[in-house]
């Protein structure tokens, strides 16, 4: 079993399959007697990736496995192959998607609290496109549905895992409310509903001269 | 969308000056349009905007937070120290504009208008215990929401910038469109089927129902009937004439059993003129050995032995 043989089988399989293939599945393609180890398959994949450097295609690993794809730099030219352009994702779609991606699992109410608008229809669209799915129910009153992104989401945006999302550290953290500098004070963790803006009303008010 | 008078009253009360004496100097608004080299930062009152155009403009906002953020960023204001009165005034101008044009206004915009009005009024009140840590700027919650929203606005842009399948990158494939999956069915020997069927039969027998019925047709009765029929005719009777197909399967089987029984007892003869020829039956002579009469002697011989 030569290295080039393993590499050729893997290359051919990735082209023929039309879907990303994980290492385990690539290993399974070989006869028992000639089965490479997963390290050997990975080495062959690395060799393929090196072979493709400087070419129009590249090897990409996403959540579902490896795929050979057209290089992004050629997007302008290649997109002319098809009469219609890929649909633009509106901000109305992307912002809830971002919230679900970074804060999953998350309830609809929590997404709406950050965006300040209703996302009923958008959520439906995201689910229809297979980018988002239901992740169960939150164990809070009302047991609202929780949402999370799908494996298709990762494949679609060329990610191996959610950790590869841009600025993941910063955006995953739930920031404590930031107080304005003037009266130096750290605001308590307030609810995110618009009506509540602290317990000022509860404070005893000094008599105000008319 | 007309009944919103209380919001408008708040606006009319709004003093067009910085909310607090310690507020930073008013920053210069970024002009949103430059006409003949002259920057415009507010809409001229007499400017006619086609409703459709404004609709498009407003649809560009993803809700009240987005609009508010736009107003703040357009003027390069410090988000941590928003001049609330001024921002509220500008925000309300947009809301009024939308209402004047009778645009469908999402409820969230009005909620924000109310929130802003409330915050502004609270800012105007003297604040108790300013030096205490417990005191919180009334704007804090709004600022937190604006910042959180802005972070996710950026996050959305970040996700949009990722190489997206079928927009920026395309999976390659050597298409095998002609490929057809031929599912070969497994070969099953008849024997295996019979074995399987036997199992089924065995199991079926476990559930067999025994329906006991009085026998309506008796072999003995039928034997007498046949003998009587043969006696009447005193000669050869075609084999098939002894049967009455109208009696059905059970009837003809009984008749056949009766014929076999009669043969065994030597009471009838069965005769065949030649191979494959019709069979004939006659009453045997008493005392004579039963035999099958046939021209085919080879076949006849063992038959004789068997029957004797």
């Amino acid at each position: 079993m030569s290295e080039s043989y393993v590499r050729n089988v893997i290359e051919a399989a990735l082209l023929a399959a039309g879907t990303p293939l994980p290492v385990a599945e690539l290993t399974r393609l070989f006869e028992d007697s000639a089965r490479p180890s997963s390290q050997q398959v990975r080495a062959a994949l690395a060799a393929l990736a090196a072979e493709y450097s400087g070419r129009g295609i590249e090897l990409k690993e996403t959540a579902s496995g490896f795929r050979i794809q057209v290089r992004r730099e050629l997007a302008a030219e290649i997109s002319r192959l098809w009469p219609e352009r890929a649909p633009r994702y509106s901000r109305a779609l992307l912002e809830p998607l971002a919230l679900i991606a970074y804060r999953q699992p998350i309830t609809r109410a929590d997404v709406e609290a950050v965006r300040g608008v209703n996302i009923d229809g958008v959520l439906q669209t995201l689910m229809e496109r297979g980018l988002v799915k239901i992740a169960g129910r939150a164990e809070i009153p009302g047991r609202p549905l929780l949402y999370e992104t799908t494996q298709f989401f990762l494949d679609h945006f060329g990610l191996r895992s959610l950790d590869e999302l841009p600025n993941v550290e910063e955006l995953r953290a739930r920031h404590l409310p930031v107080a304005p500098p003037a009266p130096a004070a750290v605001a308590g963790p307030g609810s995110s509903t618009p009506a509540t803006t602290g317990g000022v009303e509860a404070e005893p008010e000094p008599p105000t001269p008319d | 969308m007309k009944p919103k008078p209380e919001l408008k009253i708040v606006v009319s009360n709004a003093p067009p000056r910085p909310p607090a004496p310690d507020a930073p100097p008013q920053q210069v608004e970024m002009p949103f349009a430059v006409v003949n080299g002259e920057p415009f930062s507010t809409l001229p009152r007499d400017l006619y905007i086609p409703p459709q155009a404004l609709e498009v403009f407003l649809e560009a906002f993803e809700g009240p937070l987005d609009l508010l953020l736009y107003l703040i960023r357009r003027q390069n204001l410090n988000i941590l120290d928003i001049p609330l009165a001024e921002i509220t005034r500008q925000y309300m101008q947009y809301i009024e504009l939308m209402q004047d044009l009778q645009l469908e206004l999402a409820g969230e915009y009005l909620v924000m208008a109310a929130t802003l009005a409330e915050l502004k009024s609270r800012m105007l009140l003297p604040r108790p215990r300013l030096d205490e840590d417990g005191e919180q700027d009334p704007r804090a919650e709004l600022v937190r929401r604006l910042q959180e929203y802005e972070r996710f606005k950026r996050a959305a842009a970040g996700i949009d910038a990722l190489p997206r399948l079928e927009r920026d990158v395309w999976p390659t494939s050597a298409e095998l469109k002609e490929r057809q999956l031929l599912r070969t069915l497994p070969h099953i020997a008849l024997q295996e089927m019979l074995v399987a069927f036997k199992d089924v039969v065995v199991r079926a027998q476990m559930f067999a129902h025994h329906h006991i019925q009085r026998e309506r047709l008796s072999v003995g009765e039928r034997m007498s009937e046949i003998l009587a029929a043969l006696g009447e005719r005193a000669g050869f009777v075609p084999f098939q004439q002894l049967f009455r197909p109208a009696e059905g399967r059970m009837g003809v089987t009984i008749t056949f059993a009766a014929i076999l029984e009669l043969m065994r007892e030597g009471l009838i003869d069965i005769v065949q003129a030649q191979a494959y020829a019709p069979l004939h039956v006659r009453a045997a002579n008493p005392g004579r050995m039963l035999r099958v009469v046939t021209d085919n002697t080879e076949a006849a011989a063992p038959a004789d032995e068997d029957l004797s």
Side-chain angles (χ1 to χ4, degrees), chain A residues 91, chain B residues 54-63 66 109 149 153:
Chain A
R91 277 171 54 208
Chain B
L54 192 69
E55 208 165 338
V56 169
F57 172 70
L58 290 171
E59 271 174 11
F61 291 112
E62 293 297 323
D66 199 24
Y109 283 98
Y149 175 69
K153 198 177 156 179

Side-chain angles (χ1 to χ4, degrees), chain A residues 14-16 18 57 67-72 75 78-79 82 86-87 89 91-92 94-95 97-99 101-103 113-118 153 155-159 165-166 170-171 173 175 177-181 183 185 187-188 190-198 200-201 203 206 208, chain B residues 22 60-66 78 80-81 106 108-109 111-112 115 118-119 122 125-130 132-145 147-149 151-176:
Chain A
L14 292 178
L15 283 170
I57 51 173
R67 69 171 177 236
I68 299 172
Q69 65 181 33
V70 171
R71 277 191 189 280
R72 187 180 196 177
I78 300 308
S79 63
W82 300 283
Y89 284 0
R91 277 171 54 208
L94 282 164
E95 287 176 10
L97 180 62
L99 268 153
Y102 286 99
R103 292 282 167 83
V114 175
R115 291 208 64 227
V117 281
N118 178 292
F153 165 81
D155 288 337
H156 195 60
F157 287 99
L159 302 168
L165 283 167
E170 185 215 328
L171 286 158
H175 280 221
V178 178
S191 135
S192 41
T193 45
T196 51
T197 35
V200 177
E201 291 104 317
E203 302 275 310
T208 11
Chain B
D22 58 338
F61 291 112
E62 293 297 323
L65 288 170
D66 199 24
N78 179 3
L80 295 178
D81 193 15
E108 293 95 347
Y109 283 98
V111 171
M112 178 57 76
T115 306
E118 191 217 347
L119 286 181
R122 218 188 289 155
L125 289 173
R127 281 199 237 134
R129 296 188 292 147
L130 239 176
E132 292 284 331
D133 320 318
E135 182 54 34
Q136 160 178 335
D137 190 304
R139 299 172 295 182
E141 171 68 15
L142 179 65
V143 167
R144 190 192 67 78
R145 290 185 66 203
Q147 286 179 320
E148 183 78 335
Y149 175 69
R151 288 167 69 222
F152 275 95
K153 198 177 156 179
R154 281 201 305 269
I159 284 184
D160 200 33
L162 289 171
R164 201 174 101 201
L165 210 55
E166 271 148 20
R167 185 191 66 180
D168 307 307
V169 296
W170 289 266
T172 59
S173 73
E175 284 202 71
L176 300 174

